[in-house]
Amino acid sequence: MESFLKKFFPGLLKTTAHASKDVYCMYNDQALTAFTSSLYAFGMVGTLVASRVTRRFGRQGIMLIGGSMFLVGALVNAAAANIAMLIIGRMLLGLGLGFSGQATPVYLAEMSPPRWRGGFISGFPLFISVGYLIANLINYGTSRIPGWGWRLSLGLAALPAAVMVAGAMFIPDTPSSLVLRGKHDLARAALQRVRGKGVDVDAEFSDILAAVEHDRKNDEGAFWRILRREYRPYLILSIAFPVFLNLTGVAVTAFFSPILFRTVGFGSDAALMGAIMLGLMNICGILGSGFAMDRYGRRLLFMIGGALMFTCQVAMASIVGAQLGNGAKMAKGYAVTVLVLTCAFSASFSWSWGALYWAIPGEIYPVEVRSAGQGVAVALNLGLNFVQAQCFLAMLCCFKYGTFLFYASWLVVMTAFAVAFVPETRGVPLESMGHVFARHWYWGRFVKDQKFGVTST
């Protein structure tokens, strides 16, 4: 929005107005990227803090704290008078994001029935995409309000934050979290409430008690415990998933899509509309993934999504490289083709890594390292988001169209990794997840099958 740039980044506005030679570099401004990336840096801090205190406060309490910080951050941003105030608001938003991002996927995994767990967990990225779409629609509308439209845009983030705070007050905590804090009666009541009256929950509750008892027998810090050999697969996957997620290139494509579309030749309003189309593609991809995940398994989604994303990245590199060259404007027809490819890439990402990043890490960890594993995954993801947000515009300026080829090469690596090292978890109860790893061709050398007392090979 020009009113936003005029108030906080007037130098950048002058630069873009006179940019004529190298369109790749005209938005390369560290103050602008600091505005975006500060959220990720403090999101990482929030996730690590939430992981350490989640046993004391429970999943519900962590979500309540996260929603409250997000609410305050939105109000600070709406009232911002200078860049410092703007970034402080982003920091509070980041802390809220870290707390809620650590607790929400685990909450969904622990509360959902095993048969439909993938569909329930995919609701998390689905509604992130819905929020992303609504945010872009708000941007598109408020950009037409001169002077203060950006304040309305940033301030409206307080509405979903308020809903989150109010909602967290009325939901029960998860049975596993309650049992960990010694509240067995409340845990059983919470399980009965979500499974329905008259449903026999004895077997499932016994499994939860057994898993928590196993945790207590190995009573040490979850972050220290996950470093032990028998938890090596979970630690590796908690690192690999956020690393590969960021190397798809989708985070920078999503957050900088208006800038990317303006770079290839769209006007300001058309660039915002292109970002809205990306949001619609995200929703379509996640809906398809939620339908297919519990019917055809997780690995098939990785293979299809990886192949499609690779094709889109290579095609975009070819078109952008041929049309923009060293910085000339792109013809409108080719710009539309880039938009279509970006939308196809977004849908393919949402179908695969976008949904599975939240589904698989949320379900694979044993209860004794669940908060630590999810904390590592979310914190590392936000930390890498911070690095990419700081570096992407400089990378685009330096690599130009080679940026797309950089991400395409990593898509080959991550798809091969997913096929070889990510076990199929479709329909497996959380308390039986260890058996799946114990029978895996590679992870079996680390994970001991608790049921049979032997190490599977």
Side-chain angles (χ1 to χ4, degrees):
M1 299 182 189
E2 290 195 2
S3 58
F4 178 80
L5 292 175
K6 184 177 180 180
K7 182 171 181 61
F8 296 106
F9 307 100
L12 178 63
L13 191 61
K14 292 178 182 177
T15 301
T16 57
H18 295 93
S20 59
K21 291 184 178 180
D22 194 347
V23 296
Y24 292 108
C25 300
M26 63 182 179
Y27 292 102
N28 186 18
D29 183 272
Q30 287 302 303
L32 176 62
T33 53
F35 165 66
T36 299
S37 61
S38 56
L39 181 143
Y40 299 126
F42 280 80
M44 178 177 65
V45 173
T47 298
L48 293 174
V49 173
S51 300
R52 299 301 297 266
V53 301
T54 187
R55 181 176 294 203
R56 182 184 303 172
F57 295 104
R59 320 288 187 211
Q60 177 198 24
I62 294 297
M63 289 190 288
L64 185 61
I65 295 170
S68 300
M69 286 191 289
F70 210 97
L71 177 62
V72 175
L75 296 176
V76 170
N77 266 354
N82 49 52
I83 293 179
M85 194 173 177
L86 198 65
I87 292 180
I88 288 172
R90 293 287 287 183
M91 291 174 179
L92 289 169
L93 292 175
L95 290 171
L97 176 66
F99 270 70
S100 56
Q102 191 276 337
T104 306
V106 177
Y107 184 93
L108 292 170
E110 291 181 344
M111 282 299 214
S112 57
R115 184 181 178 187
W116 302 111
R117 188 174 58 246
F120 274 81
I121 299 175
S122 66
F124 185 65
L126 170 64
F127 285 101
I128 288 177
S129 295
V130 170
Y132 172 72
L133 174 62
I134 293 172
N136 278 306
L137 287 170
I138 290 171
N139 283 343
Y140 188 74
T142 56
S143 66
R144 287 163 167 71
I145 302 175
W148 57 273
W150 64 269
R151 292 190 185 275
L152 181 61
S153 174
L154 295 177
L156 283 175
L159 290 180
V163 171
M164 185 173 181
V165 171
M169 293 179 180
F170 294 100
I171 57 174
D173 207 345
T174 70
S176 294
S177 179
L178 290 167
V179 170
L180 279 170
R181 288 179 283 151
K183 301 178 180 180
H184 290 210
D185 292 340
L186 289 176
R188 187 181 182 88
L191 184 62
Q192 190 73 67
R193 177 179 172 181
V194 296
R195 296 293 179 262
K197 292 181 180 180
V199 176
D200 186 2
V201 297
D202 289 342
E204 185 176 0
F205 190 63
S206 296
D207 287 341
I208 293 172
L209 291 174
V212 173
E213 183 61 28
H214 177 68
D215 173 31
R216 290 203 174 107
K217 286 180 180 178
N218 299 276
D219 192 17
E220 61 179 275
F223 281 96
W224 289 110
R225 185 184 295 125
I226 202 172
L227 297 176
R228 286 160 37 179
R229 175 181 170 82
E230 59 265 37
Y231 299 107
R232 188 77 49 77
Y234 311 111
L235 177 62
I236 291 174
L237 290 178
S238 70
I239 294 172
F241 266 83
V243 169
F244 286 144
L245 181 78
N246 280 272
L247 288 172
T248 62
V250 72
V252 290
T253 301
F255 281 93
F256 291 105
S257 56
I259 292 175
L260 182 63
F261 291 145
R262 291 187 74 167
T263 298
V264 299
F266 287 99
S268 177
D269 287 347
L272 288 173
M273 183 57 70
I276 291 170
M277 293 175 65
L278 283 187
L280 288 170
M281 292 299 102
N282 277 332
I283 293 172
C284 292
I286 291 175
L287 285 173
S289 180
F291 175 82
M293 193 183 301
D294 290 316
R295 289 170 174 81
Y296 306 111
R298 279 69 164 152
R299 288 156 63 103
L300 180 64
L301 272 61
F302 276 124
M303 290 187 283
I304 295 174
L308 290 174
M309 284 191 290
F310 174 81
T311 302
C312 291
Q313 290 280 29
V314 172
M316 282 192 287
S318 301
I319 295 172
V320 173
Q323 290 296 307
L324 286 185
N326 292 320
K329 286 286 185 179
M330 181 181 290
K332 213 67 171 179
Y334 287 102
V336 171
T337 304
V338 170
L339 173 60
V340 171
L341 287 169
T342 307
C343 289
F345 173 84
S346 183
S348 303
F349 168 82
S350 301
W351 163 271
S352 54
W353 284 90
L356 295 172
Y357 168 76
W358 297 105
I360 294 179
E363 68 187 3
I364 62 172
Y365 304 118
V367 66
E368 63 268 23
V369 296
R370 194 168 292 158
S371 62
Q374 185 69 13
V376 169
V378 176
L380 185 56
N381 179 45
L382 290 168
L384 292 170
N385 282 168
F386 168 75
V387 172
Q388 285 212 94
Q390 278 295 115
C391 297
F392 174 69
L393 292 177
M395 182 179 173
L396 182 64
C397 179
C398 181
F399 288 179
K400 297 179 170 50
Y401 62 89
T403 303
F404 300 105
L405 295 177
F406 171 80
Y407 289 122
S409 62
W410 278 108
L411 283 165
V412 176
V413 176
M414 68 183 71
T415 302
F417 177 89
V419 172
F421 294 104
V422 178
E424 180 55 67
T425 56
R426 175 170 60 101
V428 179
L430 291 181
E431 290 72 28
S432 302
M433 203 63 69
H435 307 327
V436 176
F437 279 84
R439 288 165 173 77
H440 187 267
W441 71 272
Y442 182 74
W443 302 131
R445 68 191 67 187
F446 300 100
V447 179
K448 188 176 182 180
D449 195 325
Q450 298 296 327
K451 184 175 181 180
F452 298 100
V454 297
T455 300
S456 173
T457 58

